[in-house]
Amino acid sequence: MTISRRTFISSSLLSMASVLPLSLADALLAQAATPVKRRDVNGTDAGTIAVVKSFRRGVQVMKGRPAHDPTSWIFQANIHAYPGSKGVMNNDPEKEFRETFPDTIPGLSPAERARRLQMARTVWDTCPHGPASFLSWHRVYLYFFERTVAAAAGDATFGLPYWNWTKDRSLPKPFWESVDGTQDKNALYWNNRNPGINGGADGSPPTRVLTQSNVRIEMLSDPILDERLQAGDTTGFGRRIEQRPHGPVHTTVGNDTGMGFFEAAARDPIFWLHHANIDRLWESWSKLPGHANPANPSWRSDKHSFAGPDGQLTSLTTEQVLVAAQILQQGYEYDHEETLILAAGPAPTPAATVTTVAGEAPIPRSAPQPGAPAAATASQPAIAKVDAVSLSSQPKEVTLTPSGPAAAVPAGGAPNERLILVLRDLSVVQSPADSFAVYLNLPDGQGTDPGRSEPAQYFVGELDFFYAARKGSSGGQHAGHGVEAPLWERDVTAILRKQNWGGGPVRVTIVPTAGTVDPKSEPAIGSVELTRRSGG
């Protein structure tokens, strides 16, 4: 037998590692890893073309398996969520289990049926949106899915491609093109996407793309992973990327039976490439100077369970996946990582470098060490509030008029005082197929380009309804995978300072980014509030 140099080195390292202390052995074993390559799906090189073919082949095989098979397309998608899990696509959360695991399954023993059913009850609908584990949970999800596709495709070197939507805002061609004369023969095609997102069966390209505002990634500059791990009120990288680009990509691409809603999102093949890009940005963020993942033991020991490529229940902790290339001594690496902040439009100036009115000190930005506990933030009533705001394809303006003693102090009146814009209790009938740009104190007659988040000096943030409660849903819960939907709040202290705000009325203008809000969606905000907060 011929032994390759790589095999010799790997086996030698394994032998050496067996007699070393654990801390040294782990570093040594990492050298034996052969990570697979995750490539940009829009690449034109031979490697990328081969990867797309393997993905299409693997997905086709998985779609041909019965849903009770843990390596099937439906079983894997249901780990994210399943129809009825939020009481929207149907009002019976047990329906999916009954249909997938009838009392008798031909060719399956009662014991094996029971094992698979128990696994489904363990791992289905377990996606944790909101907390810091959003990033780590999806990393493990993608990893085992990637290995499942590789096995189904018969390609051990398969690496899940990613959709770099900041660079290419149109749905990648492999996901809408015709195969053998029809899109129906393309396993990566799905018609549960919003109008214009797919290209035509005749080869015509998509007529709708993500807006530049949808995919801005200026949050790479934030040295904090998540808001729970910092003092004050500056939202960290994890929460910011979850709210945008994550949410707007979902709602722009798919409807309520597709990418636009949790219960079916992972059934669209593009879901996996979308989240691979989110993961790529996390990997990029982790390698930027001054950035570090939390040292918090409880966060690092958090366990994530899935169905592996062998159909068995398997788990990994956050600690085990922090270095992507070293997961289980194999892992993966990306063909390109971001080293610069790629903003599609002028990015807001970081608070640490804000130029304020002459004579005023810059607004400080808190950045405690990884693992530091969050500072206690007193809950304070709003100093201005407007209830029941309905949105549509037309811009919506509301005026907040501060009142009470707290309103007398203008922005920046005290170094540790912050002004926070809060949008509470989002709700829709169905996905609006659009997101919204939020501006503060736009001058009369000032035009906007919400697709680019301009004019930047008034732009606060982007609002999408991926997490919104569904009106009339029998689930009676926020659409947050069993957890409270993340609160939409933005620190507007710097913006108001630049505007020399003195405590008077504040106008909030909300503009659809693409102007294509589905009128049947009825997006609404329970309340728009301006609050004061101490800290940071």
Side-chain angles (χ1 to χ4, degrees), residues 179-334:
V179 173
D180 296 332
T182 174
Q183 289 172 317
D184 293 336
K185 291 186 179 181
N186 179 0
L188 305 182
Y189 172 79
W190 211 28
N191 61 2
N192 295 42
R193 295 169 182 153
N194 286 320
I197 291 296
N198 281 321
D202 61 355
S204 55
T207 57
R208 183 180 179 187
V209 301
L210 297 165
T211 68
Q212 290 181 326
S213 175
N214 289 158
V215 296
R216 278 177 52 175
I217 56 172
E218 75 276 3
M219 72 288 298
L220 283 175
S221 65
D222 198 320
I224 304 299
L225 181 74
D226 185 81
E227 64 191 65
R228 297 187 308 171
L229 308 176
Q230 63 185 337
D233 47 57
T234 302
T235 301
F237 169 80
R239 177 58 56 85
R240 291 176 70 194
I241 198 171
E242 182 183 359
Q243 293 188 331
R244 186 193 70 185
H246 169 254
V249 173
H250 269 282
T251 54
T252 300
V253 169
N255 55 35
D256 267 359
T257 60
M259 273 276 282
F261 188 58
F262 307 111
E263 293 187 351
R267 299 189 180 201
D268 188 337
I270 199 61
F271 168 92
W272 304 95
L273 279 71
H274 170 40
H275 275 277
N277 199 43
I278 295 288
D279 184 82
R280 182 183 71 92
L281 293 174
W282 181 26
E283 189 73 353
S284 301
W285 177 91
S286 299
K287 294 178 181 177
L288 291 174
H291 295 185
N293 286 299
N296 189 314
S298 62
W299 181 76
R300 286 178 171 254
S301 63
D302 197 11
K303 182 180 291 186
H304 314 291
S305 297
F306 298 90
D310 57 358
Q312 301 297 312
L313 185 67
T314 186
S315 302
L316 287 173
T317 64
T318 297
E319 179 76 52
Q320 292 174 293
V321 301
L322 285 180
V323 180
Q326 296 178 17
I327 301 175
L328 299 181
Q329 281 70 60
Q330 179 183 13
Y332 58 89
E333 60 187 12
Y334 290 100

Side-chain angles (χ1 to χ4, degrees), residues 62-84:
M62 291 173 68
K63 286 184 174 182
R65 294 169 177 167
H68 60 73
D69 183 338
T71 65
S72 70
W73 185 255
I74 294 300
F75 194 105
Q76 290 285 318
N78 285 355
I79 294 173
H80 187 261
Y82 58 86

